[in-house]
Amino acid sequence: MTGFDADGVWLRCALHAHTTNSDGDLPPDKLVRHYAWAGYDVLAITDHWVRTAERSTRETLVIPSVELNAQCGGPEHDAHVLALGVATDPVAPEDAFAPLEEVVAWILENGGVPYLAHTYWSGLRTEQWESCPGLLGIEVWNAGCELEIGRGDSTVHWDEALERGRGFFALATDDSHHPGYDSGFAWTMVRAPEKSQEAVLAALREGSFYGSTGPEIRSVEVDDAAVVVECSPAASVTLVASRARGARANAGRLGYPKDSRILARDDRGLITAVALERPYAVPYGRIEVADERGRRAWTNPLWTATAG
Ligand SMILES: [Zn+2]
Ligand SMILES: [Zn+2]
């Protein structure tokens, strides 16, 4: 399930943001207003080790959440884990953080949805987290990590795990600490039956969403032979499938076609609909759309093999 085959509404969600309850600049009520003005429907406040349960407003559904630390493959590897919608206040350990498996289990026991944050920024290796039971996915893009040190893009980690049959989903987030400077750069479009905490959390568990830093993905249709994508005007649309395999359409006068056929363009020649050939027997496939400014959107895997 990727959201494109589901009924319901699309909700623009900020799923990683900080307030004065940890190291963010704005108090929780002001952050809610900030994201409402920026056109978001849902905000998960994820302060470090403080579960923030600010009141929802008419515009903005607030999901109480927290960002936790975990040991990931040894004490020298500090991982950050988003506990979205968790119902219990966490207690920070007095000395070492717990292993990732224990932190994820605690999140699940307390009704939360666990996603591993900014794997590239954290310097994690895919082998350190891809076997963790109950972990739902990672952040494919973390705007704050990109703005600060150029390590916001975790697509390689995601692809390594998908290639090995792990069906992880991936969020795009701001991880905002200084709203106005580092907010509104990345979001997750959730497809849910309604705007409620329960429905959004269920969609995050099922993969019914896509991440974006700009492009809109309007539809994705998959059959045995091809994937057909409709999107906002794009410079390229890619089927990322596995090593040395895949397909891509590139816009432009001599736009290089790789196993693709452009079905519609806007008046400037940018791609608005495309058919991408589905390679035979690849372990996974996901769609990535890029616009003229290099902003990207990422669907969840359209299919995956079973983990071996
Ligand atoms: Zn973090
Ligand atoms: Zn954070």
Side-chain angles (χ1 to χ4, degrees):
M1 178 141 148
T2 56
F4 298 98
D5 43 4
D7 290 329
V9 288
W10 284 108
L11 300 169
R12 191 176 184 209
C13 303
L15 298 175
H16 189 165
H18 295 270
T19 74
T20 47
N21 282 349
S22 63
D23 52 354
D25 287 348
L26 290 184
D29 61 328
K30 299 290 189 299
L31 189 73
V32 174
R33 202 165 63 175
H34 175 83
Y35 271 105
W37 279 344
Y40 285 72
D41 304 297
V42 177
L43 169 63
I45 301 177
T46 54
D47 281 303
H48 300 282
W49 287 98
V50 179
R51 177 178 167 274
T52 299
E54 182 63 28
R55 261 210 328 267
S56 293
T57 63
R58 235 169 47 116
E59 297 85 16
T60 311
L61 170 70
V62 181
I63 298 182
S65 302
V66 61
E67 183 174 14
L68 304 172
N69 301 68
Q71 284 188 36
C72 196
E76 69 280 18
H77 295 287
D78 182 29
H80 292 188
V81 191
L82 298 177
L84 302 168
V86 74
T88 311
D89 292 334
V91 179
E94 279 174 22
D95 37 75
F97 294 116
L100 178 65
E101 289 74 10
E102 284 178 30
V103 172
V104 165
W106 181 87
I107 295 168
L108 293 169
E109 279 160 24
N110 290 279
V113 174
Y115 274 85
L116 190 58
H118 47 62
T119 51
Y120 185 29
W121 182 90
S122 295
L124 302 181
R125 304 181 65 94
T126 307
E127 308 83 73
Q128 292 170 331
W129 52 265
E130 66 180 349
S131 304
C132 177
L135 184 66
L136 282 162
I138 66 171
E139 289 177 328
V140 62
W141 187 265
N142 180 301
C145 294
E146 184 67 18
L147 283 170
E148 291 195 345
I149 60 165
R151 289 179 67 127
D153 183 350
S154 295
T155 45
V156 170
H157 290 163
W158 193 21
D159 285 326
E160 285 180 339
L162 291 170
E163 179 111 34
R164 290 195 279 257
R166 317 281 180 191
F168 286 114
F169 309 128
L171 312 171
T173 70
D174 278 334
D175 196 358
S176 174
H177 292 75
H178 316 292
Y181 290 105
D182 63 359
S183 57
F185 287 102
W187 50 90
T188 298
M189 296 299 294
V190 166
R191 180 79 154 176
E194 58 176 27
K195 187 164 103 178
S196 69
Q197 175 168 327
E198 200 180 325
V200 171
L201 293 179
L204 294 172
R205 287 189 191 98
E206 292 162 5
S208 183
F209 63 87
Y210 71 92
S212 182
T213 59
E216 184 188 336
I217 303 178
R218 295 186 180 135
S219 75
V220 177
E221 284 176 26
V222 186
D223 65 27
D224 290 345
V227 180
V228 175
V229 180
E230 293 180 324
C231 56
S232 55
S236 68
V237 181
T238 310
L239 170 62
V240 182
S242 70
R243 57 181 174 274
R245 310 285 295 280
R248 176 153 163 157
N250 295 286
R253 190 173 62 86
L254 294 173
Y256 186 98
K258 167 62 180 163
D259 296 334
S260 65
R261 192 160 51 91
I262 295 174
L263 305 174
R265 300 174 186 264
D266 74 353
D267 50 11
R268 299 172 51 234
L270 296 170
I271 302 162
T272 55
V274 62
L276 300 152
E277 281 176 36
R278 182 172 169 175
Y280 178 68
V282 286
Y284 74 97
R286 62 177 184 83
I287 295 296
E288 197 167 312
V289 175
D291 72 12
E292 272 183 304
R293 294 165 55 189
R295 302 184 305 180
R296 289 146 79 191
W298 305 261
T299 72
N300 277 320
L302 307 173
W303 65 86
T304 49
T306 315

